[in-house]
Amino acid sequence: AGADRTGAAGEWDGTCGGAPRSEGGGCGAGNPAASGQRSGGKGGDGAAAYRPFCAAAAGALSAVLTGRGDLMRYFAKLRIASKLTVIVMGIVLLFAILSGALMLVTLTDIMRASLERRGLSVAAEVAELSSDALQTGNLFALEELIHTEKRNNDFVSYIFLLDTDGRVMAHTFTKGMPLHLRELHGEGGEEPEVLRVNTSLGQIQDIRWPIEGGALGAVRVGVSEDALRELLVSNVLKMVGITLVILLLAAILIFRLSKILTRPLYHLMERAEHISKGHFSGRAITFPTTDEIGRLANAMNDMERHLREGAQERSRLLRHIMTAQEEERKRIAMELHDESGQTLTALLFSLRAL
């Protein structure tokens, strides 16, 4: 109902967020930051002013890159189960953050729209009930009406009534009517209007509802968003708590599953270490799966069988070579023995003949 606009009013006392107004009513006069003026003169001084910032940025970037390298080295030392846990947890955490941000934005819009509808309902009710009192000039009834409505709706910050000339007929402020509050909507029209303003009281939705189409004035209702903010903070804390519990349970579950998935790899690694030391087992590794781990186990069994057969063949060849060498030595010894015997016999006969 009506146009939802963003107001530019500052504090209720007429200041602009603590800065004085200019003579023309605008904000920022006399404030160099607001009026666009810049302190400092020569360009060299400005460049010198940016040098510490550039040095700090370079140092921060170097620290980030160094920390990233250390983190990657630490991650490379982790076991596969720990790596899987870290990766999945990172994905789950990122999804939780994005989902939480989206839910927070959606919830904020929904609750703000609901608060606006409730404020419009209060304004419409006050406009309907105050019509007779305005026509009769019963100010006491108007005061009682708006105070009762404010007590019954804790999200309402203020209510006041304006006549057709813009004069305040009744209000709920205890310390007097704030300055410049009446001019927020300007002249207004025959349709309800909602104006969001930042004030010293916080974020306020100022609602203007015409009475009898504006013929008797208008109702102004200020709806505070403090309750909305408190409810959002409460929901965010609950969401964070639930997310942490889910992350903890997910971490335990993922780590257990990772251990189960990597247990066959651990057995294969132990068998490979035994094979590298020359220890062969006659028992094959069997896994009741046909996935990559099962295929790796079959390949490991085939490799071990071929290596064992190769080792056996090498041992057989070594034994054959050693046997052949022994036989050759015996043959050479026999030949030497026969030749030496014949030579000695001939020499003995020669000596006897002499």
Side-chain angles (χ1 to χ4, degrees), residues 29 34 68 73 83 86 96 103 119 137 160-161 198 200 219 221 252 254 270 272 275 282 305 327:
R68 180 183 177 185
R73 284 191 292 270
K83 290 180 180 179
V86 172
M103 187 179 299
F160 63 92
L161 299 172
N198 291 314
S200 59
V219 177
V221 177
I252 296 174
I254 293 169
E270 286 185 338
I275 293 174
R305 186 180 68 255
E327 291 178 352

Side-chain angles (χ1 to χ4, degrees), residues 101-283:
L102 179 61
M103 187 179 299
L104 181 62
V105 172
T106 305
L107 186 61
T108 301
D109 294 338
I110 293 175
M111 294 178 65
R112 183 169 289 147
S114 176
L115 188 64
E116 180 180 331
R117 287 193 298 268
R118 293 173 65 184
L120 289 170
S121 176
V122 171
E125 184 178 359
V126 172
E128 182 178 358
L129 297 178
S130 63
S131 177
D132 295 337
L134 284 173
Q135 291 178 358
T136 59
N138 191 348
L139 298 181
F140 178 78
L142 294 176
E143 290 283 348
E144 183 178 4
L145 172 63
I146 60 178
H147 280 87
T148 301
E149 288 290 341
K150 186 177 182 298
R151 283 194 303 269
N152 294 336
N153 300 278
D154 55 355
F155 59 91
V156 175
S157 297
Y158 59 83
I159 302 176
F160 63 92
L161 299 172
L162 298 175
D163 61 6
T164 55
D165 295 330
R167 294 174 298 185
V168 178
M169 303 297 295
H171 63 80
T172 58
F173 294 101
T174 57
K175 297 182 180 180
M177 186 74 181
L179 299 175
H180 303 286
L181 182 58
R182 292 178 298 176
E183 291 80 7
L184 286 179
H185 291 269
E187 295 296 332
E190 297 182 358
E191 296 295 331
E193 295 182 355
V194 180
L195 186 65
R196 293 183 60 202
V197 292
N198 291 314
T199 69
S200 59
L201 301 178
Q203 193 80 13
I204 298 293
Q205 292 186 9
D206 189 271
I207 300 173
R208 179 185 179 277
W209 192 282
I211 304 174
E212 299 294 337
L216 300 179
V219 177
R220 296 280 295 280
V221 177
V223 179
S224 176
E225 294 187 357
D226 290 340
L228 172 64
R229 189 177 299 106
E230 293 176 358
L231 185 58
L232 286 175
V233 170
S234 176
N235 290 330
V236 168
L237 292 178
K238 291 178 182 179
M239 187 184 305
V240 170
I242 294 174
T243 303
L244 291 178
V245 173
I246 293 175
L247 285 177
L248 180 60
L249 295 178
I252 296 174
L253 179 61
I254 293 169
F255 186 76
R256 296 288 296 177
L257 291 176
S258 300
K259 293 285 287 185
I260 294 174
L261 292 176
T262 57
R263 188 176 299 150
L265 295 177
Y266 181 75
H267 293 318
L268 292 174
M269 181 184 67
E270 286 185 338
R271 180 62 65 86
E273 291 177 351
H274 283 83
I275 293 174
S276 65
K277 296 177 182 178
H279 304 303
F280 300 103
S281 174
R283 183 173 56 87

